[in-house]
Amino acid sequence: MSHSHGQMQTIQIADWKKAPPFMKSTAEYLMDGKKSGLKLRQGVFNGKRVDYFKGKSAVSALLKDGYAKMLSKSKQDALSNREDAIKVMNELGKNGFILRVNRGDALGGKGSPRVLQPNSAQEMQEDGYYMWIYEGSQIKLYAGAAMLVAVVLAAVLFPLWPETLRLGVWYLSVGVLGLLGVFFGIAIVRLILYIISIIVLPRGIWIFPNLFEDVGIIESFIPLWGWDEPKSKKPAAVTSNTEQSVTDTTTTPSAEKVTTNKDD
């Protein structure tokens, strides 16, 4: 596989499928933003949208504890400095996982994807940009496609289902719609009660205050009610008052000293 930039260069790209398993694990670690913390950006390469990242961020991701644990499980030597991480990134490039690119102009306004072109120097540089050639594991994609086809076929063949199955699906759909109705009903009632409470009481009251919080299903309905949390004061104002107090305290003794000297 090769990519050309103008008519001056041809870059040969290895087949990542022939790479050692450890290289594939490293690529998947970097592609998982939750584990590596690597920020991916959107670019356009040969008319196709791709993900790319900055070399410095990838090097920092390889020096995190998560990658060190992966190295330990794979019985690989730990990375001790940024130079070691750069060597790993070079191996990813040589094995066809990434390609160094130059960023061009944005296709649209601010924040839109930039046009990417291959860089003639493929050696790892922390200030360079690299796009992913490796697309990650396709198992989830294939499984999702198979499930989608199965659901469509099941819906098309619904009239041919046995009577008991059709009746069960009907009860299930009614139950799901009922739960959704109850949920929206609770949301509307709690909003109405909150509006009434802030008019009558000094502070508003929420029914199921954790209903829309990022908690479990059971925790969403605990406690039954709670006071509306007041907004905290801005830290900047507190800092300003503190600085003013410190200034007054420090200037007072010096003023007294000057006065004393005058009296003497």
Side-chain angles (χ1 to χ4, degrees):
M1 183 179 180
S2 65
H3 287 283
S4 61
H5 185 196
Q7 298 179 353
M8 300 298 295
Q9 61 173 319
T10 299
I11 300 174
Q12 298 293 332
I13 299 178
D15 186 2
W16 60 264
K17 295 178 182 178
K18 299 179 181 179
F22 172 69
M23 285 287 99
K24 183 178 178 181
S25 300
T26 299
E28 290 179 351
Y29 163 79
L30 289 173
M31 295 183 76
D32 189 342
K34 293 182 179 179
K35 293 182 179 179
S36 65
L38 181 62
K39 179 182 178 182
L40 297 179
R41 313 179 190 190
Q42 285 282 316
V44 177
F45 185 80
N46 288 343
K48 179 182 177 182
R49 290 214 174 200
V50 295
D51 292 327
Y52 73 98
F53 56 89
K54 194 166 186 177
K56 182 179 180 180
S57 301
V59 171
S60 299
L62 292 177
L63 294 175
K64 289 187 175 181
D65 293 338
Y67 188 66
K69 292 179 181 178
M70 195 188 81
L71 289 174
S72 178
K73 292 180 180 179
S74 303
K75 297 182 180 180
Q76 300 285 335
D77 295 334
L79 305 183
S80 57
N81 49 48
R82 300 187 75 84
E83 286 72 20
D84 291 343
I86 289 175
K87 292 179 182 179
V88 174
M89 293 300 299
N90 276 325
E91 289 300 316
L92 284 176
K94 292 177 181 178
N95 285 279
F97 288 92
I98 58 175
L99 177 72
R100 186 178 178 184
V101 293
N102 296 325
R103 294 200 305 175
D105 297 331
L107 291 178
K110 185 178 180 181
S112 60
R114 290 175 176 262
V115 177
L116 305 178
Q117 295 290 343
N119 190 305
S120 57
Q122 287 297 308
E123 288 295 320
M124 172 65 189
Q125 297 291 335
E126 291 200 38
D127 59 350
Y129 293 93
Y130 299 82
M131 59 166 269
W132 283 110
I133 300 174
Y134 176 63
E135 297 180 351
S137 177
Q138 302 296 308
I139 296 177
K140 292 183 179 180
L141 179 62
Y142 295 149
M147 289 182 62
L148 179 61
V149 172
V151 169
V152 172
L153 287 176
V156 171
L157 298 176
F158 181 75
L160 302 179
W161 287 19
E163 184 68 24
T164 53
L165 283 179
R166 284 187 289 172
L167 187 61
V169 171
W170 185 84
Y171 281 124
L172 180 62
S173 60
V174 170
V176 171
L177 290 175
L179 288 176
L180 289 175
V182 170
F183 178 80
F184 284 111
I186 292 174
I188 294 173
V189 169
R190 73 192 291 268
L191 179 61
I192 294 174
L193 292 177
Y194 173 75
I195 295 174
I196 295 174
S197 65
I198 60 176
I199 296 174
V200 178
L201 302 173
R203 290 170 58 187
I205 295 177
W206 282 112
I207 303 298
F208 302 124
N210 293 327
L211 186 63
F212 295 104
E213 298 296 330
D214 187 14
V215 294
I217 297 177
I218 297 177
E219 289 79 4
S220 298
F221 298 94
I222 299 174
L224 178 62
W225 67 277
W227 294 102
D228 185 24
E229 294 294 334
K231 294 182 179 179
S232 58
K233 296 181 180 179
K234 295 182 179 180
V238 176
T239 305
S240 177
N241 294 335
T242 305
E243 290 177 353
Q244 184 177 359
S245 176
V246 172
T247 304
D248 294 342
T249 305
T250 54
T251 55
T252 302
S254 61
E256 291 178 354
K257 185 176 181 181
V258 172
T259 305
T260 304
N261 291 338
K262 284 184 178 181
D263 292 340
D264 292 342

